[in-house]
């Protein structure tokens, strides 16, 4: 099954923004990468100073790229959503269809861990940029749908599976209580979900 590329989340135009130098681009990308990990670990109240320190830059560099916490949150959210969508095609090219689906769902757990950490600021962003969330939701659903349909077509998961049901099940992971063992439990739930999807695969209806 050929995969259609999942388009990335639209970026807002910045009329007066100059192209970044290579070193500045590396700093910006590194800050966004570290911020995603720190927000997932500590939540939205994570220290910006800690993010800068772990990225190996000064706090002034962070503020040059991200003047406000909300700006950093939006960039992190876009980056994580784009990486999750891009992973669908990448995993499908490397693995059998059911393995690609399972690996993508584990990445989905990482994505929602970051999203949970950003929850407070994301609610604020929703009031000013609601299209960001509708666009992202549509692209994530498209990525999952392609993986599910490929696995059904290959007979590696059962034929009566609907991608929207799988997404609903994954959404339950997001709603689970935020406890220290949340991530480990979520990965076990993905395995249980995949066991159910594989059960009876390839059998005639």
């Amino acid at each position: 099954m050929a995969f259609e590329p999942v388009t990335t989340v639209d970026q807002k135009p910045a009329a007066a923004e100059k192209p970044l130098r290579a070193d500045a681009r590396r700093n910006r990308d590194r800050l966004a990468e570290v911020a995603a990990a720190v927000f997932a670990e500590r939540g939205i109240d994570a220290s910006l100073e800690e993010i800068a320190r772990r990225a190996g830059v000064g706090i002034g560099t962070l503020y040059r790229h991200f003047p406000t916490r909300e700006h950093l949150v939006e960039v992190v959210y876009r980056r994580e959503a784009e990486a999750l969508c891009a992973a669908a095609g990448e995993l499908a090219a490397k693995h059998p269809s059911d393995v690609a689906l399972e690996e993508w769902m584990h990445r989905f757990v990482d994505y929602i861990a970051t999203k949970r950490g950003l929850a407070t600021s994301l609610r604020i962003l929703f009031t000013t940029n609601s299209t960001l969330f509708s666009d992202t939701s549509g692209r994530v659903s498209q990525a999952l749908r392609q993986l599910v349909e490929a696995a059904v077509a290959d007979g590696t998961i059962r034929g009566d599976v609907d991608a929207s049901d799988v997404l609903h099940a994954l959404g339950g992971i997001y709603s689970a209580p935020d406890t220290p063992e949340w991530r480990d439990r979520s990965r076990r739930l993905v395995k249980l979900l995949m066991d159910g999807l594989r059960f009876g695969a390839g059998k005639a209806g």
Side-chain angles (χ1 to χ4, degrees):
M1 177 180 177
F3 267 62
E4 299 177 6
V6 180
T7 53
T8 56
V9 181
D10 295 335
Q11 298 286 346
K12 294 179 181 178
E17 194 172 309
K18 295 180 180 179
L20 293 174
R21 300 189 317 270
D23 58 339
R25 170 61 64 182
R26 283 193 298 271
N27 285 340
R28 180 183 173 88
D29 291 345
R30 177 63 179 160
L31 282 163
E33 177 185 359
V34 169
V38 174
F39 286 141
E41 293 169 10
R42 302 177 182 270
I44 192 57
D45 293 328
S47 163
L48 297 183
E49 287 78 7
E50 180 182 357
I51 292 171
R53 178 180 57 76
R54 286 172 58 169
V57 301
I59 189 64
T61 297
L62 184 150
Y63 280 117
R64 278 196 297 276
H65 290 291
F66 308 108
T68 66
R69 182 180 292 265
E70 286 69 29
H71 185 195
L72 177 58
V73 165
E74 181 173 352
V75 170
V76 167
Y77 180 71
R78 288 179 184 275
R79 179 182 179 277
E80 294 297 295
E82 289 171 3
L84 180 66
C85 292
E90 295 166 2
L91 292 169
K94 295 178 181 177
H95 302 288
S97 55
D98 59 326
V99 176
L101 175 60
E102 184 170 9
E103 288 297 318
W104 188 89
M105 288 198 288
H106 283 302
R107 296 197 187 193
F108 185 87
V109 168
D110 295 334
Y111 164 73
I112 59 178
T114 301
K115 190 175 177 182
R116 285 163 70 106
L118 300 175
T120 302
S121 283
L122 287 177
R123 282 194 290 269
I124 296 172
L125 282 174
F126 182 77
T127 65
T128 58
N129 189 12
S130 59
T131 58
L132 170 64
F133 300 95
S134 59
D135 289 348
T136 299
S137 176
R139 289 173 172 87
V140 170
S141 298
Q142 179 189 352
L144 175 60
R145 185 177 303 108
Q146 291 187 18
L147 289 165
V148 168
E149 290 177 354
V152 168
D154 288 347
T156 57
I157 64 173
R158 53 194 296 163
D160 60 350
V161 175
D162 186 273
S164 61
D165 293 335
V166 178
L167 186 61
H168 186 74
L170 291 172
I173 295 176
Y174 180 85
S175 302
D178 191 5
T179 60
E181 66 274 11
W182 175 85
R183 194 185 290 260
D184 288 339
R185 178 180 290 121
S186 297
R187 294 190 180 281
R188 293 195 298 271
L189 289 172
V190 166
K191 186 178 186 305
L192 285 172
L193 178 57
M194 282 304 306
D195 286 347
L197 294 175
R198 289 186 174 113
F199 182 78
K203 294 182 180 179

